Amino acid sequence: MEGKEQTDDEVLQGMLSRRFHYAKAQRTTTYHHTFRTKTRWELVRLSLLIVGIECTYATETAFVAPILLAIGLPHTLMTMMWAMPPIVGVLFVPVVASVSDRLRLAWGRRRPVLLILGVAMLLGMMLLPHGRLIGETIGLRSVAWIATITTIGLTTTDFSAEASNGLCRTYAMEVCTIQDQARVLSTMMLIGGLGGMLGYLFGAIDWSALPIGQYFESNEAAVFTANWIVLLVGLVSTLTSFSEIPLPVQEEDELLRPVTHFMLQNEMKRMRGDEYTAQTNLTESIGFRQFIRNTVQMPHSMKILCLTQFLSHMGYLPYCLYFTDFVGAEVFNGDVQAPQHSEALWRYEEGVRFACWGMALFAGCASLYSLVIEKLIARVGARPVYVFGLLAHCVGMLAM
């Protein structure tokens, strides 16, 4: 009907259709996929790196504490080793994100950085279970040197995983349409939980009892190798899924820029005859000072929410980092520093595998919960769901 004002969806479809056909007409490019709806399989392929990252988190959580304790470190020093990756992440993850925002390579802004971080993760995963072997090979047999080599592997892996996690989501958002962005994030949440479950299931297997186990130095080495393969497959799959539109191309041709909410709002204003602001800066990012200013000036309710999230995460991390060691030492009465082939060490390893089954169940339940949480929020509200989750977490921690 002539004169009828178009809805947001109709305007968005028009913008996407115009850009899709324009990009497809440029026979030297393959950027038209950015402006079309993705299939479910395409969203899964985009998300497979998240599976590898979550699998890596799970393997680290289950086995890094036992590895460091087996070297001879006390619990206090082992905890300090775990503190290194977050410290490095706080300092350098924003730097990596800022560099990625300004990258002008023909391969895009996100994929080159994801490739470097992925290779770093793979190298770190090779160091983690082989710290003692590497140290002895190069003549560094002291506990301090072996712990240092292992901590380098831990820091490299954890920092790279943390930086890749955010960049992978940014990459997926930029190659998907606005309607697909919620779908790809929910897909990442679901199969990411399955990736964590897979990592714990690797740890629950007694690899030494399998024929393939004879090819590995230890059970931990077999677990990390299985995780290494999952991470490699996820990295290759995600990086080869869709090409990015390079920053110079976006700067030169407005019709080859991904359609954002800002662009949609501007188009709506233009069609109504209102004033609108053209997007000129495609690499705008928040600096550290602006981040601090925003944090200080945020509303009181947001500060309370952030503090609650901070405290709940503080409670969640020790549970994750100590759970397998707790079950192996306290529940199964094992000893991680007992001699090889002793009953005490065997009980400890059995306890770690048993704990991995429990953590796999936890990851699977979290993945299933992600399927219904939006419906729960729509029915009872976000606050009751959030508060009930925190209370359930507190009760579970007290029961342990």
Side-chain angles (χ1 to χ4, degrees):
M1 295 175 58
E2 188 175 355
K4 181 181 179 182
E5 185 175 342
Q6 290 183 300
T7 64
D8 288 10
D9 285 341
E10 290 172 339
V11 173
L12 176 61
Q13 289 302 324
M15 295 175 68
L16 291 174
S17 177
R18 184 163 61 252
R19 284 161 172 77
F20 175 81
H21 291 296
Y22 176 80
K24 201 166 186 180
Q26 311 295 315
R27 298 187 180 277
T28 57
T29 69
T30 56
Y31 304 139
H32 59 278
H33 62 78
T34 304
F35 309 107
R36 65 168 176 82
T37 301
K38 306 294 187 294
T39 65
R40 178 61 67 182
W41 163 244
E42 288 174 333
L43 296 181
V44 169
R45 187 179 173 189
L46 260 175
S47 308
L48 282 181
L49 178 55
I50 297 296
V51 174
I53 291 173
E54 293 298 331
C55 189
T56 300
Y57 281 146
T59 304
E60 281 185 330
T61 299
F63 285 98
V64 167
I67 287 173
L68 291 174
L69 292 173
I71 292 172
L73 296 181
H75 279 81
T76 52
L77 196 55
M78 181 270 291
T79 306
M80 291 174 64
M81 297 297 103
W82 259 115
M84 289 298 296
I87 293 173
V88 174
V90 168
L91 295 175
F92 294 106
V93 165
V95 176
V96 172
S98 180
V99 170
S100 175
D101 287 340
R102 292 168 170 79
L103 212 56
R104 306 180 66 84
L105 298 180
W107 210 38
R109 292 188 288 173
R110 314 303 175 190
R111 291 190 299 168
V113 182
L114 283 173
L115 176 61
I116 294 172
L117 293 172
V119 172
M121 268 192 289
L122 293 170
L123 292 175
M125 292 286 286
M126 294 174 66
L127 281 178
L128 264 172
H130 300 111
R132 184 185 297 276
L133 177 63
I134 294 172
E136 291 176 350
T137 302
I138 61 179
L140 303 175
R141 293 179 172 83
S142 66
V143 172
W145 277 112
I146 295 174
T148 300
I149 294 170
T150 305
T151 304
I152 290 173
L154 170 63
T155 304
T156 302
T157 302
D158 209 64
F159 166 76
S160 301
E162 187 68 28
S164 298
N165 211 337
L167 278 180
C168 184
R169 284 172 166 79
T170 303
Y171 164 58
M173 298 276 280
E174 290 177 347
V175 299
C176 286
T177 64
I178 293 176
Q179 298 113 316
D180 280 343
Q181 288 175 356
R183 293 175 62 218
V184 74
L185 291 178
S186 62
T187 301
M188 286 182 172
M189 185 181 298
L190 174 62
I191 68 173
L194 297 178
M197 184 178 178
L198 183 63
Y200 290 123
L201 288 176
F202 285 153
I205 298 173
D206 184 4
W207 294 87
S208 61
L210 301 177
I212 196 174
Q214 62 181 317
Y215 298 104
F216 298 99
E217 174 196 3
S218 61
N219 203 60
E220 290 83 1
V223 173
F224 276 86
T225 300
N227 189 166
W228 195 91
I229 294 172
V230 171
L231 180 59
L232 178 62
V233 171
L235 179 66
V236 172
S237 174
T238 296
L239 292 184
T240 57
S241 56
F242 294 106
S243 58
E244 296 179 74
I245 304 176
L247 184 59
V249 174
Q250 295 186 42
E251 291 175 338
E252 293 171 3
D253 195 335
E254 186 177 349
L255 287 179
L256 289 179
R257 297 176 186 175
V259 178
T260 63
H261 287 281
F262 179 82
M263 295 170 64
L264 176 60
Q265 291 170 3
N266 267 354
E267 182 68 11
M268 294 292 295
K269 291 178 181 178
R270 188 191 65 80
M271 295 179 66
R272 290 195 298 262
D274 299 337
E275 292 186 3
Y276 64 95
T277 304
Q279 184 180 11
T280 57
N281 188 0
L282 300 179
T283 62
E284 182 178 0
S285 58
I286 297 177
F288 182 73
R289 290 183 180 179
Q290 184 63 39
F291 170 75
I292 296 297
R293 189 179 297 114
N294 291 346
T295 303
V296 173
Q297 295 176 352
M298 73 169 60
H300 180 71
S301 57
M302 287 294 295
K303 291 180 180 178
I304 296 297
L305 184 62
C306 289
L307 178 62
T308 305
Q309 182 68 10
F310 172 74
L311 294 175
S312 62
H313 211 60
M314 282 181 62
Y316 169 72
L317 281 179
Y319 152 73
C320 287
L321 302 184
Y322 280 99
F323 185 68
T324 52
D325 175 65
F326 171 78
V327 175
E330 301 298 329
V331 179
F332 279 71
N333 294 318
D335 184 1
V336 68
Q337 296 181 2
Q340 288 289 331
H341 309 298
S342 64
E343 184 179 349
L345 181 60
W346 178 82
R347 287 199 303 268
Y348 183 87
E349 292 176 343
E350 280 293 303
V352 169
R353 284 192 285 271
F354 185 82
C356 285
W357 282 113
M359 296 293 279
L361 179 62
F362 150 73
C365 290
S367 183
L368 293 176
Y369 184 57
S370 69
L371 295 176
V372 300
I373 189 171
E374 290 185 9
K375 295 180 180 178
L376 285 175
I377 291 174
R379 181 177 291 272
V380 301
R383 179 181 292 182
V385 173
Y386 183 64
V387 171
F388 177 77
L390 291 178
L391 288 175
H393 174 72
C394 292
V395 171
M397 293 294 289
L398 288 173
M400 285 181 59

